[in-house]
């Protein structure tokens, strides 16, 4: 009986050693992977964040300036334009930039682009400032 | 008495064979355990990367956003002024000062975007990459000595990997080049462009309200 027990202990310890060694390796690998993932994610995030904010900030600067320039005019056409610009500015301010995993993000970006094009058309200026419209990329992994 | 000699020598052979077998078993054990560590390590890297990728992405997203926000908004402002000149005074060419400022702002924005792109395609070598390379080189050299039968200690075969883990870097320390962070010269260049834009607004007699919108970009 003792012998059998001893043998089963031996097998247990062999199996445990197997798991223990694997677990130790896993732990070290995990820490390293987490570090790498953070770095890689961060670089990709920076690239996406820079692009998206660049586009939206451009729209904002463009719209707020036109609003300031047109506000002095009292004619109906200018007032209508100011209203449309204010709508675009509100859209930008409510843009869900804090929630990157939001399913709305892509949709809202497209919506913003469409509205910007409409604003340009209303102001009779070409909307080809940059190739923003060409890129429609995912905002998360 | 030659048979005695034969017996004793064959006895020695048998004993040696046992010793070899023990040695082999020991080697096999060590190599198996080393393999377990490696298997675990590889799985751990995948799991760790998966777990932190989105976190890093979100962090980087904010950093990237911060770098382009002000300059891109300024480009929007100057573009609008340029368009306004064109529609208000179609008979006159757009003032050279406006065209020049727009070019400068666009160039500055491009430089920032280019730097971020470069960081993405050619990530700066990190301490962990270097130590990983060293580890790769060392694995072949230390293998025979390290796991040649004497070593069953768990710490033995992982020295090189541990080396990096002993010095984990904090996110705040990663900024030097990891996401193409903005520099003080960027800030200086942006402030100069903002000032030029404010001067332009005053010179052209544009609404003073615009100055506030330009001014606020300094604190972004």
């Amino acid at each position: 009986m003792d012998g059998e027990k001893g043998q089963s202990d031996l097998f247990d310890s062999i199996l445990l050693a197997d798991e223990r060694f694997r677990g130790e390796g896993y732990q070290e690998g995990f820490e390293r992977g987490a570090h790498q993932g953070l770095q890689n994610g961060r670089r990709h995030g920076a690239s996406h964040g820079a692009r998206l904010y660049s586009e939206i900030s451009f729209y904002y600067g463009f719209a707020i300036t036109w609003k300031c320039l047109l506000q002095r005019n009292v004619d109906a056409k200018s007032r209508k334009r100011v209203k449309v610009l204010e709508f675009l500015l509100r859209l930008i301010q409510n843009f869900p930039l804090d929630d990157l995993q939001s399913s709305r993000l892509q949709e809202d970006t497209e919506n913003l682009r469409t509205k910007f094009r409409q604003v340009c058309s209303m102001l009779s200026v070409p909307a080809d400032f940059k190739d923003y419209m060409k890129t429609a990329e995912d905002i998360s992994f | 008495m030659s048979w005695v000699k034969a017996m004793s020598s064959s006895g020695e052979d048998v004993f040696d064979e046992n010793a070899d077998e023990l040695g082999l078993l020991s080697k096999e054990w060590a190599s198996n355990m080393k393999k377990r560590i490696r298997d675990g390590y590889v799985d751990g890297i995948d799991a760790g990367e998966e777990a932190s990728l989105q976190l890093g992405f979100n962090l980087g997203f904010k950093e990237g956003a911060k770098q382009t926000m002000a300059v891109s908004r300024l480009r929007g402002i100057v573009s609008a002024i340029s368009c306004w000149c064109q529609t208000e005074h179609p008979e006159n060419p757009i003032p050279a000062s406006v065209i020049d400022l727009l070019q400068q702002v666009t160039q500055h924005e491009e430089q920032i975007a280019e730097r971020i792109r470069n960081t993405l395609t050619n990530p700066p070598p990190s301490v962990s990459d270097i130590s990983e390379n060293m580890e790769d080189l060392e694995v072949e050299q230390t293998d025979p000595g390290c796991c040649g039968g004497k070593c069953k200690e768990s710490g033995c075969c992982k020295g090189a990997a541990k080396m990096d883990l002993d010095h984990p870097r904090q996110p705040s320390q990663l900024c030097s080049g990891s996401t193409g962070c903005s520099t003080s010269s960027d800030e200086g260049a942006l402030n100069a462009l903002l000032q030029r834009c404010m001067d332009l607004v005053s010179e052209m007699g544009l609404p003073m309200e615009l100055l506030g919108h330009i001014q606020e970009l300094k604190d972004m």
Side-chain angles (χ1 to χ4, degrees):
Chain A
M1 282 296 278
D2 278 359
E4 267 176 40
K5 191 175 183 295
Q7 269 197 345
S8 91
D9 280 354
L10 189 66
F11 281 124
D12 280 353
S13 65
I14 287 170
L15 283 172
L16 282 175
D18 211 58
E19 276 308 298
R20 186 167 64 87
F21 279 100
R22 204 189 164 279
E24 280 176 17
Y26 184 90
Q27 192 53 39
E28 284 188 18
F30 190 91
E31 283 175 43
R32 175 152 196 153
H35 177 70
Q36 279 176 2
L38 197 71
Q39 295 271 48
N40 290 339
R42 204 169 170 184
R43 276 198 305 275
H44 282 89
S47 168
H48 279 78
R51 255 206 315 265
L52 189 63
Y53 261 81
S54 171
E55 179 178 350
I56 293 171
S57 301
F58 173 83
Y59 295 159
Y60 188 87
F62 190 84
I64 198 86
T65 305
W66 268 104
K67 189 188 155 202
C68 290
L69 291 167
L70 293 173
Q71 242 168 2
R72 295 194 285 195
N73 306 345
V74 287
D75 58 296
K77 194 179 170 191
S78 294
R79 278 212 307 275
K80 191 193 164 213
R81 286 175 165 187
V82 168
K83 272 196 178 149
V84 177
L85 285 164
E86 279 171 347
F87 180 76
L88 178 67
L89 289 167
R90 262 201 310 278
L91 268 187
I92 296 171
Q93 277 157 347
N94 294 331
F95 198 80
L97 279 168
D98 288 335
D99 184 12
L100 299 182
Q101 276 140 300
S102 158
S103 54
R104 276 177 50 215
L105 201 56
Q106 198 65 47
E107 202 181 310
D108 284 7
T109 309
E110 284 306 325
N111 190 20
L112 208 55
R113 286 174 183 152
T114 309
K115 287 285 176 298
F116 179 72
R117 274 195 289 256
Q118 283 172 2
V119 162
C120 286
S121 150
M122 179 190 73
L123 297 169
S124 313
V125 297
D128 55 349
F129 292 98
K130 229 181 172 183
D131 295 337
Y132 288 137
M133 324 298 180
K134 282 184 189 167
T135 51
E137 293 175 53
D138 290 335
I139 322 285
S140 100
F141 282 105
Chain B
M1 296 293 277
S2 63
W3 65 273
V4 177
K5 270 185 189 171
M7 271 299 280
S8 70
S9 66
S10 71
E12 265 172 30
D13 284 342
V14 168
F15 188 73
D16 282 343
E17 265 173 35
N18 277 339
D20 281 352
E21 202 173 325
L22 276 174
L24 277 172
L25 281 173
S26 179
K27 268 184 192 169
E28 198 184 328
W29 164 266
S31 136
N32 275 340
M33 289 309 112
K34 196 178 163 190
K35 195 172 172 301
R36 291 287 161 278
I37 290 170
R38 279 200 181 152
D39 288 349
Y41 190 76
V42 169
D43 289 349
I45 282 191
D46 287 347
E49 190 151 11
E50 177 82 34
S52 66
L53 215 50
Q54 188 67 51
L55 187 73
F57 186 91
N58 295 355
L59 193 69
F61 192 91
K62 288 196 176 77
E63 287 168 356
K66 205 167 182 290
Q67 288 178 65
T68 51
M69 238 156 92
V71 70
S72 297
R73 195 185 282 192
L74 181 62
R75 192 168 62 82
I77 292 172
V78 186
S79 296
I81 293 174
S82 167
C83 292
W84 183 81
C85 290
Q86 220 167 5
T87 51
E88 283 293 296
H89 309 286
E91 70 286 358
N92 295 335
I94 301 167
S97 53
V98 175
I99 294 176
D100 186 53
L101 180 59
L102 185 56
Q103 276 173 354
Q104 299 282 321
V105 173
T106 308
Q107 204 180 347
H108 185 57
E109 188 191 31
E110 262 305 308
Q111 279 168 359
I112 294 172
E114 179 71 24
R115 199 175 54 223
I116 294 171
R117 271 199 300 275
N118 279 344
T119 321
L120 182 66
T121 46
N122 310 307
S126 67
V127 177
S128 62
D129 292 336
I130 294 163
S131 62
E132 190 176 50
N133 290 340
M134 285 168 71
E135 182 191 339
D136 288 344
L137 289 172
E138 262 181 28
V139 162
E140 293 310 311
Q141 291 169 356
T142 54
D143 265 357
C146 176
C147 298
K150 290 177 189 169
C151 162
K152 290 182 188 173
E153 297 301 321
S154 60
C156 178
C157 305
K158 302 177 291 177
K162 247 196 157 77
M163 206 164 67
D164 175 47
L165 298 169
D166 287 343
H167 305 284
R169 283 169 294 158
Q170 299 302 312
S172 61
Q173 294 173 284
L174 300 173
C175 205
S176 54
S178 73
T179 55
C181 283
S182 57
T183 60
S184 57
S185 70
D186 274 348
E187 214 172 298
L190 178 69
N191 281 339
L193 291 170
L194 290 173
Q195 191 53 53
R196 276 182 64 184
C197 190
M198 287 197 284
D199 293 346
L200 201 69
V201 168
S202 306
E203 281 163 24
M204 293 173 74
L206 302 177
M208 285 296 125
E209 199 191 337
L210 261 178
L211 292 179
H213 292 298
I214 301 167
Q215 185 77 39
E216 73 180 21
L217 300 182
K218 281 189 178 171
D219 308 320
M220 266 186 167

